[in-house]
Amino acid sequence: MTVTGPRTTPRTALVTGATGYIGGELVPALLDAGWRVRVLTRRSSRLDGQPWHEDVEVVEGDATSPDDLGRALDGAEVAYYLLHSMDGQGSFVERDRTMAQGFAAAAADAGTSRVVYLSGLHPSGELSEHLASRVEVGEIFLAGPVPATVLQAGVVLGDGSASFDMLRHLTERLPAMVAPKWVDNRIQPIAVDDVVHYLVGAADLPADSNRTFDIGGPEVLTYADMMQRYADVAGLGRRLIVSVPVLSPRLAGLWVGLVTPISAGIARPLVGSLVHEAICHEDDVQTAIGLPPGGLTGFDSAVRAALRTVDPLLWRRTVQRAAGTVAAAAVVGSLLTDPKSRWYASLDKPSWQPPPAAFPVVWTGLYAEVALLTAAASAVLKERDDPDHPSTRARDLERALAVNMVLNAGWTGLFFRAHRPWVAAAECAALTASSVDLARRVAPAGRGKATGLLAYAGWCAFATALTTAIARRNPRH
């Protein structure tokens, strides 16, 4: 006869923010550690893509609802609070404060033993609004009735981390850049696997532990250093980075939102946090929880791990195709244009026509804008696709760009070479419609990119009006 010991019931951990990057990495680690995992989400369908979604208990609800929090926290020994408002919307400080206070109260009512929160590394003194809010949320939990562990991390290195995604997209897209002074600030990045190790370990801290822990990797680097190291590991070649004491965080956030897939609403708080140095001021977590198996992960190793699911050359290939398409149209259009011809000189032109010197300047800028924004949008759409079920949005966008450039060059031939102003006006109207369609196709990749292409569509509409006016003034041509 075999004698067995008493059956132990797995402890329950509640994970909020499971649809986010860190939460999505934490859940399987908790399952592997023997926890029963419950997740709170507004819509359970958002978990369908996760390989672990059938292994967890799902509570549909809102983290601002006391009733929903009560159901989610019932019987949970530890609760992971991985929620914060990084959406660029107003009043996020008050929203985060209220939500944290409600969660702390609900955890106390449910008899939860510990709350674990992931905050940000920060210096003393005045902080950016976003980082100050993160710190305040941690203080709310530490002041609450339930013991709390607040882990403070800087840039998290992993495919899906917003801070890492901004780093890699800037590095991939900009071989040379004039950057704000904050690229010289010191940062202690940490691999996502090491963050998850500390999050899991925090659940087993002594009952009287109620404090913050700084967590970071083994290296302290500047943001510029991280860009150079990423470029080296990814095989991109050395980047030229010149820092200058200009460009406010708000403007820098808008710029990052334009040239990368990171939305301006997320880029602004990320950039705002980078104006502060993010380094560990103590390493007590190594004693309290212990180092990850094998020790802390170095920067290069963390990047290599992230690159298993990242194609760092996608942007280069995409921009080469877009630039090639636009450049071909620009060259053909330039060869077909003949503003010094006798025919063109004989035309009666409206008084509001810009001077001839303005056209090459405007068109050159617009060509560069169209190439950059369509390439950026195409790369974003490709990266968002499921590799097993790719969509056609990026391919359709690139085809629409090719059609647009054919129309662009065609207008020049019809007007300057065929001497057919009315036909050219009709063709230019089609070009305008095509340009609006380009902006529509780009919109899912970012509102700023679509707005930039609408400027191109606006110039095409102006060209249509000008060509139509010339055709009316010159009925015999």
Side-chain angles (χ1 to χ4, degrees):
M1 181 177 68
T2 301
V3 179
T4 61
R7 181 179 178 181
T8 60
T9 301
R11 296 175 295 170
T12 298
L14 170 68
V15 177
T16 62
T19 56
Y21 177 60
I22 298 296
E25 295 292 319
L26 174 61
V27 168
L30 286 170
L31 291 170
D32 289 343
W35 287 85
R36 175 189 290 132
V37 178
R38 182 184 300 149
V39 300
L40 173 64
T41 181
R42 287 191 180 94
R43 296 188 303 277
S44 59
S45 59
R46 296 181 63 191
L47 301 172
D48 290 346
Q50 295 286 5
W52 42 258
H53 76 279
E54 294 183 352
D55 300 322
V56 301
E57 178 187 351
V58 179
V59 174
E60 282 194 332
D62 194 313
T64 63
S65 165
D67 290 340
D68 292 344
L69 288 177
R71 290 188 297 114
L73 287 162
D74 183 31
E77 294 191 37
V78 61
Y80 287 91
Y81 188 85
L82 302 176
L83 305 172
H84 58 273
S85 302
M86 195 159 66
D87 54 12
Q89 303 299 315
S91 72
F92 75 90
V93 174
E94 179 60 32
R95 281 185 285 147
D96 275 356
R97 179 186 301 125
T98 301
M99 193 159 58
Q101 290 170 338
F103 193 88
D109 292 341
T112 302
S113 300
R114 179 166 300 280
V115 172
V116 181
Y117 173 60
L118 182 62
S119 185
L121 284 172
H122 61 277
S124 59
E126 186 177 355
L127 301 174
S128 69
E129 188 177 35
H130 169 71
L131 192 52
S133 177
R134 299 286 298 276
V135 172
E136 181 187 23
V137 168
E139 291 172 344
I140 288 171
F141 288 128
L142 293 172
V146 177
T149 300
V150 178
L151 300 176
Q152 300 180 146
V155 172
V156 176
L157 303 173
D159 178 27
S161 160
S163 54
F164 175 73
D165 286 347
M166 189 174 84
L167 170 73
R168 79 174 185 87
H169 288 306
L170 285 175
T171 307
E172 291 169 6
R173 283 158 169 70
L174 301 173
M177 63 181 293
V178 176
K181 194 66 177 177
W182 51 253
V183 298
D184 297 324
N185 286 348
R186 294 181 302 161
I187 298 171
Q188 196 165 349
I190 182 170
V192 64
D193 288 347
D194 295 347
V195 174
V196 170
H197 164 79
Y198 289 130
L199 285 168
V200 174
D204 291 316
L205 287 170
D208 60 351
S209 176
N210 185 64
R211 57 164 293 183
T212 64
F213 290 97
D214 291 352
I215 60 173
E219 300 169 86
V220 174
L221 305 165
T222 67
Y223 202 86
D225 290 336
M226 291 196 297
M227 292 181 71
Q228 297 290 12
R229 292 275 288 274
Y230 178 87
D232 183 58
V233 174
L236 299 172
R238 185 165 183 80
R239 272 30 198 163
L240 176 63
I241 304 171
V242 178
S243 62
V244 293
V246 295
L247 200 60
S248 70
R250 178 176 178 80
L251 290 176
L254 291 172
W255 170 69
V256 170
L258 185 63
V259 301
T260 78
I262 309 297
S263 69
I266 294 177
R268 280 196 295 271
L270 284 176
V271 170
S273 298
L274 289 173
V275 303
H276 307 294
E277 292 200 330
I279 59 175
C280 295
H281 299 286
E282 44 84 10
D283 59 3
D284 296 350
V285 73
Q286 296 183 16
T287 301
I289 296 178
L291 289 171
L296 292 169
T297 307
F299 181 87
D300 292 357
S301 296
V303 169
R304 290 191 187 96
L307 288 180
R308 289 198 293 265
T309 53
V310 169
D311 179 2
L313 301 180
L314 173 64
W315 165 256
R316 180 181 294 178
R317 294 194 303 271
T318 304
V319 78
Q320 286 173 345
R321 284 196 299 273
T325 300
V326 174
V331 170
V332 171
S334 178
L335 293 174
L336 292 175
T337 301
D338 189 9
K340 297 181 180 180
S341 69
R342 185 179 303 172
W343 174 82
Y344 184 72
S346 69
L347 293 176
D348 179 19
K349 306 174 188 68
S351 60
W352 45 271
Q353 174 174 305
F359 289 94
V361 174
V362 173
W363 276 114
T364 299
L366 288 174
Y367 281 138
E369 177 190 62
V370 170
L372 175 63
L373 295 181
T374 54
S378 181
V380 171
L381 297 176
K382 289 175 182 175
E383 289 185 343
R384 289 179 180 172
D385 282 347
D386 179 349
D388 297 325
H389 303 90
S391 71
T392 61
R393 292 184 302 173
R395 275 179 292 168
D396 289 347
L397 173 59
E398 292 179 355
R399 289 169 182 163
L401 174 63
V403 170
N404 183 272
M405 289 296 109
V406 168
L407 292 170
N408 188 299
W411 171 87
T412 310
L414 289 171
F415 186 84
F416 284 101
R417 299 298 177 178
H419 301 168
R420 303 288 298 276
W422 277 114
V423 178
E427 204 265 10
C428 200
L431 171 63
T432 302
S434 171
S435 302
V436 173
D437 179 61
L438 270 184
R440 178 187 66 82
R441 294 177 185 275
V442 162
R447 186 171 58 185
K449 300 175 182 65
T451 301
L453 282 179
L454 285 176
Y456 168 62
W459 179 258
C460 292
F462 173 78
T464 301
L466 178 60
T467 307
T468 301
I470 291 174
R472 286 175 174 169
R473 286 169 171 267
N474 300 272
R476 296 183 180 181
H477 282 75

